[in-house]
Amino acid sequence: MLSETTEPSERFAHSEGYTAVKFSYDGIYFFTGGNDSLVRAFKTDKSERDQEAQTLEYHSDAVLAFDVGRNKLITCGQDAVSFSFRVPMHNDDHNQQISPEGTVARSTLTICDVSVSANGLLVAVAAHENTVSIVSLIDMTIVYKLEGHPGPVNSVDFSSDSRYLASAGCDGTIKIWDMQMDAPDCIQTLERFSPACPVGD
């Protein structure tokens, strides 16, 4: 007589809706963020893949994006807050957990995107306030505001050498900023680089 087998039940990392994903700097973790306001950190090593993910419950609304530095995870979301977490690396104690470091930025409107510079010194924060905030990861009280977008900013990204920052607005405009100066300056504006989109899209 054949024994009955039961198919394993599906397990979802998040509730239905948008999900952001990112590997950690050294590939030890795989991060997911969802509409349910949760960030989950899964171990990628084959021997640890079946373990429960570490859950970071700090946001109060949907998680929209995150970026990583050498031992950092920076998150942001619809609750208009960006958080910093310390991420253990290969040479750290195997039992160490991801731990909160503090608030990177707060906004009156949604924070859509974050980007950590390759040198690990700065994080750029894009919000619907028409500005980009540049926050020092050495001292998070040091903040620069990049102004010039006529509308909400959807996306930011540092160049691989940390010398430049690109920011994209809902109106389809892209700005390139020189980050080598004491006061970062916009050195190029690409008008209508992409079609305009409604705020939030």
Side-chain angles (χ1 to χ4, degrees):
M1 181 177 176
L2 296 175
S3 60
E4 292 185 4
T5 58
T6 304
E7 290 292 325
S9 60
E10 290 181 322
R11 292 190 305 163
F12 295 98
H14 300 281
S15 59
E16 184 178 353
Y18 176 81
T19 301
V21 296
K22 193 85 173 180
F23 280 101
S24 64
Y25 181 87
D26 56 6
I28 289 180
Y29 290 95
F30 178 68
F31 301 112
T32 64
N35 271 352
D36 52 10
S37 79
L38 302 177
V39 174
R40 297 193 187 277
F42 297 87
K43 291 284 189 73
T44 59
D45 188 90
K46 187 178 289 186
S47 64
E48 299 177 292
R49 287 178 191 167
D50 290 333
Q51 294 181 6
E52 281 294 323
Q54 182 181 347
T55 301
L56 307 175
E57 300 183 62
Y58 291 86
H59 286 281
S60 60
D61 207 334
V63 177
L64 297 180
F66 28 62
D67 200 13
V68 296
R70 182 171 176 79
N71 63 344
K72 302 276 187 187
L73 169 67
I74 310 295
T75 66
C76 67
Q78 280 188 324
D79 55 2
V81 185
S82 174
F83 294 109
S84 174
F85 300 87
R86 186 188 184 282
V87 179
M89 299 189 69
H90 275 296
N91 55 353
D92 289 327
D93 181 347
H94 185 72
N95 295 317
Q96 270 194 320
Q97 295 278 296
I98 297 168
S99 56
E101 291 188 316
T103 301
V104 175
R106 288 186 183 276
S107 172
T108 57
L109 299 171
T110 297
I111 296 179
C112 297
D113 196 18
V114 289
S115 178
V116 178
S117 61
N119 58 20
L121 299 178
L122 302 172
V123 58
V125 181
H128 281 170
E129 289 183 325
N130 306 7
T131 61
V132 176
S133 298
I134 306 297
V135 183
S136 167
L137 288 175
I138 307 300
D139 180 355
M140 288 190 287
T141 64
I142 300 175
V143 181
Y144 299 96
K145 294 282 189 181
L146 306 184
E147 299 180 342
H149 279 282
V153 184
N154 272 351
S155 182
V156 284
D157 194 34
F158 275 100
S159 62
S160 59
D161 57 8
S162 304
R163 296 172 64 186
Y164 302 101
L165 177 78
S167 59
C170 281
D171 64 343
T173 297
I174 290 179
K175 290 184 177 289
I176 309 298
W177 307 84
D178 185 348
M179 303 304 294
Q180 302 169 88
M181 308 172 70
D182 290 337
D185 188 37
C186 180
I187 57 172
Q188 189 172 7
T189 298
L190 306 174
E191 300 283 357
R192 298 195 178 104
F193 189 83
S194 61
C197 65
V199 175
D201 281 5

